[in-house]
Amino acid sequence: YQAKSRGGGCHAFFDVALRERVQRHMDLEQDLRHAARVDELWVAYQPVAELGTGRLVAVEGLLRWQHPVHGAVSPGEFIPIAEGSDLINRIGAHMLRTATGQIGAERPGLDVVLNANLSPRQLDDPGLHALVQRTLSDSGLPAENLCLEVTEEAIMRDPTAAARVLNGLRELGVFLAIDDFGTGYSSLAQLRRLPLDTLKIDRSFITDLPESAELRVIVSSIITMAHAIGLDVVAEGVETARQLDLLRDIGCDHAQGYYLSKPVPLDELLSSGLT
Ligand code: C2E
Ligand code: CA
Ligand code: CA
Ligand code: CA
């Protein structure tokens, strides 16, 4: 009898927690509808450096949401919310316009590639090609200064459709990268058919690199195979000098991570001495 009543209390507890989660999701989705209009969404930039020279070669634009009540809401929370509604295309367009505008305006003083993330839903959007074309011409950012990142997941949902979309984008002259590599189920043999330029190795492979000889073999093989099909390799989530040294030793091309810099506002990027 006691166990049963405790079980009941447990249910009530989960009900409240679940109801609060659902409520927050609905609130955020509602607020996200005008966040772009009222400038609550802004773009942080994280440097990507060449491993041999330490030279800044690219910056990844990462969306930030400063909510008037909830404070900073992480993209890990609001991107999936946007992705689950029609909002992702609007927010993705806002992100592209903002970032190409800001990086385009700093040229030629700042000459880096801007990396921008495309969500799976954006890849399905028939207006994507025109959007990219228009943001490039409006911002004056040369196509070869833009690299669009897509995840394995987005590609594997429908590889034939993805190939068609990526080929169209490639014709605009932009670079294409596969993001979070190693977290999905694609193989380099499948990716070989796509017009990709860069492969970004997911942070989960980098974190324990110094402790694991197995991981070093795995990452080293990924790099060798990526190079064999003409891809440059970026290691994500580099947090220590030790990881950076190992990556350089096994022939990785570029690195991105807190060890080099966190994602920062544009003015901080410009005054960082990295540029
Ligand atoms: P992502 O594309 O894999 O971006 C890299 C994430 O790793 C960023 O998290 C970055 O802050 C974090 N990171 C970078 N270096 C380190 C490190 O050394 N250690 C650790 N622990 N983390 C590091 P963030 O900014 O929270 O973004 C999370 C995800 O949200 C992104 O993962 C991306 O999938 C999505 N996202 C962010 N901005 C956009 C956007 O504009 N459009 C779309 N579709 N997705 C976005
Ligand atoms: Ca990314
Ligand atoms: Ca990534
Ligand atoms: Ca290539």
Side-chain angles (χ1 to χ4, degrees):
Y1 178 78
Q2 212 182 354
K4 196 174 170 192
S5 80
R6 206 163 59 220
C10 219
H11 279 296
F13 173 76
F14 282 120
D15 278 352
V16 172
L18 181 63
R19 198 156 352 104
E20 277 171 3
R21 284 228 313 277
V22 171
Q23 190 61 52
R24 179 174 163 99
H25 184 112
M26 291 193 312
D27 287 351
L28 290 180
E29 182 175 326
Q30 190 56 40
D31 296 344
L32 209 44
R33 292 193 180 278
H34 48 255
R37 233 179 16 248
V38 296
D39 272 351
E40 289 167 11
L41 290 174
W42 59 280
V43 181
Y45 297 96
Q46 185 176 36
V48 178
E50 190 169 60
L51 266 173
T53 61
R55 195 170 63 91
L56 178 78
V57 288
V59 293
E60 178 172 3
L62 293 156
L63 265 178
R64 295 291 177 259
W65 185 11
Q66 190 61 35
H67 188 285
V69 176
H70 299 292
V73 181
S74 83
E77 181 172 18
F78 73 80
I79 294 288
I81 292 175
E83 178 77 16
S85 67
D86 58 328
L87 282 167
I88 191 66
N89 289 316
R90 212 192 303 168
I91 287 170
H94 175 76
M95 182 310 174
L96 258 187
R97 270 196 297 271
T98 306
T100 54
Q102 291 187 327
I103 299 301
E106 295 302 328
R107 284 177 39 83
L110 175 69
D111 192 14
V112 293
V113 170
L114 166 67
N115 281 39
N117 295 286
L118 290 183
S119 82
R121 289 273 291 264
Q122 282 180 283
L123 216 55
D124 293 342
D125 177 10
L128 178 66
H129 186 275
L131 171 74
V132 172
Q133 192 164 34
R134 201 171 56 242
T135 48
L136 286 173
S137 64
D138 288 352
S139 65
L141 188 74
E144 66 267 23
N145 282 69
L146 180 64
C147 176
L148 298 172
E149 300 189 2
V150 294
T151 58
E152 285 180 83
E153 181 210 335
I155 288 174
M156 298 319 286
R157 301 206 311 190
D158 185 347
T160 315
R164 200 165 49 237
V165 174
L166 295 181
N167 279 313
L169 292 172
R170 159 54 67 82
E171 277 166 20
L172 293 173
V174 301
F175 291 114
L176 298 169
I178 181 96
D179 200 4
D180 302 343
F181 183 79
T183 60
Y185 299 97
S186 62
S187 66
L188 285 166
Q190 287 166 306
L191 296 181
R192 181 176 64 91
R193 300 170 193 287
L194 298 170
L196 297 167
D197 303 283
T198 301
L199 178 147
K200 300 187 78 169
I201 302 181
D202 191 69
R203 177 171 86 233
S204 56
F205 290 82
I206 308 304
T207 307
D208 296 326
L209 211 56
E211 285 75 44
S212 165
E214 269 173 18
L215 269 180
R216 290 198 291 280
V217 172
I218 291 170
V219 170
S220 165
S221 318
I222 294 174
I223 293 170
T224 304
M225 290 189 290
H227 284 166
I229 59 171
L231 303 179
D232 278 345
V233 180
V234 180
E236 301 195 273
V238 177
E239 294 183 346
T240 67
R242 182 90 186 100
Q243 292 165 342
L244 197 76
D245 288 343
L246 286 169
L247 286 162
R248 191 186 291 113
D249 290 347
I250 57 184
C252 189
D253 304 293
H254 302 137
Q256 176 178 356
Y258 294 168
Y259 181 70
L260 300 158
S261 167
K262 288 188 310 189
V264 293
L266 181 67
D267 54 351
E268 228 173 285
L269 175 78
L270 296 173
S271 62
S272 66
L274 282 163
T275 56

